[in-house]
């Protein structure tokens, strides 16, 4: 596929307006490490736009989402308390969750970065611990388990190293079934036609951002991630300008912001929520009333999956966050170590049920 031609300024402006309006309507206002809710609302309309938008707002939202800002991480105590009541710990409410899951077909969906692994400076070093791998391996033996990540499929599989799981890479745009299984192996790539364009943009971003220290451009096959976790704050404006200048040439791609990362993705309507629905269908759970999907994630992109569960009135979403955030998830866990504890409890619960059943 060749590079897209530059569209007229008016057309770009119209696209921005429509896309920004749609973003307000269809997307949830999430920041990774949020400032107080009032600030979040202020910047909400500028989180996800096609190829432009107010630069100041973008940079402000990049600042607001950075945990380097003391104000952002020090949420007021009362706000924390109110949030914790609304989104209680999945560990402290485990019995409630187990009771809701009893007699149902449980399926587990896990984000990777910030959920199974800590967020680290070098995205290539976001390894999960052996203890976490052990917990996920045991989990996969008890329930259908999928890893749903923004990373490309190969990268996330190389981190997790468990061939028996389902994987949805590139925000669900690259889906694969278990390797060592008699089950039909799934391979679904709804954005395949964008592959040459993504490669082209990756090269342009590498070239255009090379003068900015600390930038890490990562080709995630169906999307490109520009990590700014190691970029000095004074250079964020320059970085955003460079990214935007590249994207002006590609109206079929859109820019979104995640946790310490800018992401360039195809404009197709496909996200982690769609991937979740696809996987549920593939597992034969599409029209089942007795299915209980549990989705755990930490990022804005996971909100699409939380939203799907809310709309289905089925299953639960668990947000991994130490700080109050607007979310469609029902429960929370503070960090990956708590995710591990929760998964371990799920396995123990399943073993207990099987043991009780074998005695009948
Ligand atoms: Mg994540």
């Amino acid at each position: 596929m060749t590079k897209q031609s530059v569209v007229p300024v008016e057309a770009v402006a119209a696209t921005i307006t429509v896309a920004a309006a749609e973003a307000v309507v269809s997307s949830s206002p999430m920041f990774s490490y949020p400032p107080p809710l009032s600030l979040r609302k202020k910047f909400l309309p500028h989180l996800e736009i096609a190829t432009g938008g107010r630069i100041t707002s973008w940079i402000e939202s990049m600042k607001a989402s950075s945990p380097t800002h003391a104000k952002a991480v020090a949420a007021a105590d009362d706000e924390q308390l109110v949030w914790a009541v609304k989104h209680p710990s999945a560990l402290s409410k485990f019995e409630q969750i187990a009771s809701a899951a009893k007699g149902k077909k449980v399926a587990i969906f896990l984000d990777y970065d910030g959920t199974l692994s800590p967020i680290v400076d070098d995205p290539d070093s976001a390894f999960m611990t052996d203890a976490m791998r052990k917990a996920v391996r045991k989990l996969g033996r008890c329930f259908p388990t999928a890893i749903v990540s923004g990373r490309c499929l190969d990268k996330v599989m190389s981190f997790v190293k468990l061939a028996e799981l389902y994987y949805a890479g590139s925000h669900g745009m690259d889906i694969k079934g278990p390797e060592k299984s008699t089950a039909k192996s799934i391979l679904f790539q709804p954005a395949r036609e964008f592959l040459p364009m993504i490669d082209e943009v990756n090269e342009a971003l590498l070239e255009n951002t090379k003068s900015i220290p600390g930038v890490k451009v990562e080709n995630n096959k169906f999307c490109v991630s520009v990590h700014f976790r190691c970029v000095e704050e004074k250079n964020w404006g320059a970085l955003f300008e460079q990214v935007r200048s590249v994207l002006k040439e590609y109206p079929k791609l859109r820019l979104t912001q995640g946790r310490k990362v800018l992401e360039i993705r195809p404009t197709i309507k496909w996200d982690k929520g769609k991937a979740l629905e696809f996987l549920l269908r593939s597992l034969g759970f599409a029209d089942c009333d007795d299915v209980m999907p549990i989705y755990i994630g930490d990022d804005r992109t996971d909100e699409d999956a939380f939203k799907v569960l809310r709309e289905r009135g089925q299953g639960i979403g668990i947000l991994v966050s130490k700080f109050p955030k607007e979310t469609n998830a029902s429960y929370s866990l503070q960090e990956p170590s708590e995710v591990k504890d929760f998964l371990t409890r799920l396995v123990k619960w399943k073993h207990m049920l099987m043991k009780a059943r074998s005695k009948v």
Side-chain angles (χ1 to χ4, degrees):
M1 190 172 292
T2 55
K3 189 189 284 187
Q4 299 298 301
S5 58
V6 181
V7 293
V9 173
E10 295 80 356
V12 171
T15 307
I16 290 166
T17 308
V18 172
E22 283 176 354
V24 174
V25 173
S26 66
S27 298
S28 299
M30 308 309 144
F31 280 87
S32 296
Y33 282 79
L37 290 171
S38 57
L39 263 183
R40 221 172 307 159
K41 283 172 184 165
K42 185 177 169 188
F43 297 127
L44 159 64
H46 312 296
L47 272 175
E48 185 171 324
I49 47 182
T51 55
R54 293 181 205 168
I55 299 168
T56 314
S57 297
W58 267 90
I59 295 163
E60 286 305 321
S61 77
M62 286 162 76
K63 286 178 185 175
S65 66
S66 166
T68 60
H69 287 260
K71 281 182 186 173
V73 298
D77 285 349
D78 55 346
E79 189 185 348
Q80 186 94 37
L81 278 172
V82 170
W83 191 81
V85 169
K86 209 173 160 192
H87 308 284
S89 162
L91 278 171
S92 65
K93 296 288 182 185
F94 186 83
E95 296 305 327
Q96 190 180 78
I97 293 169
S99 159
K102 200 170 178 185
K104 293 186 178 166
K105 297 178 183 104
V106 175
I108 314 287
F109 301 86
L110 305 165
D111 167 51
Y112 183 74
D113 290 87
T115 298
L116 297 182
S117 76
I119 296 285
V120 292
D121 283 346
D122 178 8
D124 287 335
S125 303
F127 304 113
M128 64 195 276
T129 62
D130 287 340
M132 180 67 94
R133 186 170 296 103
K134 198 172 163 187
V136 177
R137 181 182 286 120
K138 285 182 178 174
L139 186 80
R141 287 174 187 158
C142 294
F143 312 103
T145 300
I147 309 294
V148 185
S149 173
R151 305 277 197 143
C152 71
L153 195 61
D154 291 346
K155 180 78 67 82
V156 73
M157 286 180 78
S158 74
F159 278 136
V160 179
K161 296 189 178 82
L162 296 171
E164 60 269 39
L165 307 183
Y166 291 81
Y167 288 88
S170 303
H171 297 289
M173 285 185 278
D174 201 2
I175 300 180
K176 196 173 185 301
E179 280 176 10
K180 293 171 187 171
S181 163
T182 52
K184 187 182 160 194
S185 187
I186 299 164
L187 184 62
F188 187 61
Q189 297 178 331
R192 194 168 182 80
E193 64 173 300
F194 286 88
L195 285 175
M197 191 190 288
I198 292 289
D199 282 343
E200 206 173 279
V201 166
N202 182 62
E203 290 303 314
L205 286 169
L206 280 169
E207 180 62 29
N208 282 34
T209 62
K210 67 183 181 189
S211 62
I212 302 172
V215 178
K216 169 95 182 170
V217 177
E218 184 181 20
N219 186 342
N220 283 316
K221 195 169 178 178
F222 290 96
C223 59
V224 182
S225 302
V226 181
H227 300 275
F228 60 85
R229 55 183 84 176
C230 295
V231 177
E232 280 189 54
E233 195 175 309
K234 65 179 181 186
N235 293 327
W236 290 1
L239 171 64
F240 179 73
E241 273 299 337
Q242 289 301 331
V243 172
R244 197 167 79 137
S245 73
V246 170
L247 273 188
K248 274 181 183 170
E249 307 284 321
Y250 298 91
K252 289 189 175 178
L253 300 178
R254 65 184 168 128
L255 181 61
T256 63
Q257 187 190 327
R259 196 168 165 184
K260 300 185 199 172
V261 66
L262 293 170
E263 291 185 304
I264 294 91
R265 301 201 246 167
T267 49
I268 62 163
K269 288 188 175 176
W270 194 265
D271 52 39
K272 287 183 172 182
K274 300 277 186 203
L276 169 65
E277 287 179 318
F278 176 85
L279 283 164
L280 284 172
R281 275 200 304 279
S282 303
L283 290 165
F285 295 160
D287 301 314
C288 292
D289 291 333
D290 60 346
V291 63
M292 171 83 173
I294 298 177
Y295 188 106
I296 311 179
D298 74 317
D299 207 347
R300 272 190 72 226
T301 56
D302 298 306
E303 291 297 331
D304 295 315
F306 296 148
K307 205 172 159 194
V308 163
L309 294 181
R310 273 205 185 264
E311 285 169 0
R312 290 171 72 103
Q314 211 172 37
I316 56 164
I318 303 174
L319 177 72
V320 183
S321 178
K322 287 184 175 178
F323 313 105
K325 280 187 193 180
E326 297 225 10
T327 181
N328 285 299
S330 308
Y331 296 91
S332 63
L333 289 168
Q334 293 218 350
E335 55 196 353
S337 65
E338 286 199 359
V339 174
K340 179 173 69 62
D341 293 345
F342 178 77
L343 301 182
T344 302
R345 283 192 74 175
L346 273 178
V347 170
K348 282 184 183 163
W349 170 74
K350 177 72 176 180
H351 286 167
M352 198 185 71
L353 285 182
M354 286 166 67
K355 206 170 168 183
R357 204 171 297 153
S358 68
K359 284 180 182 169
V360 176

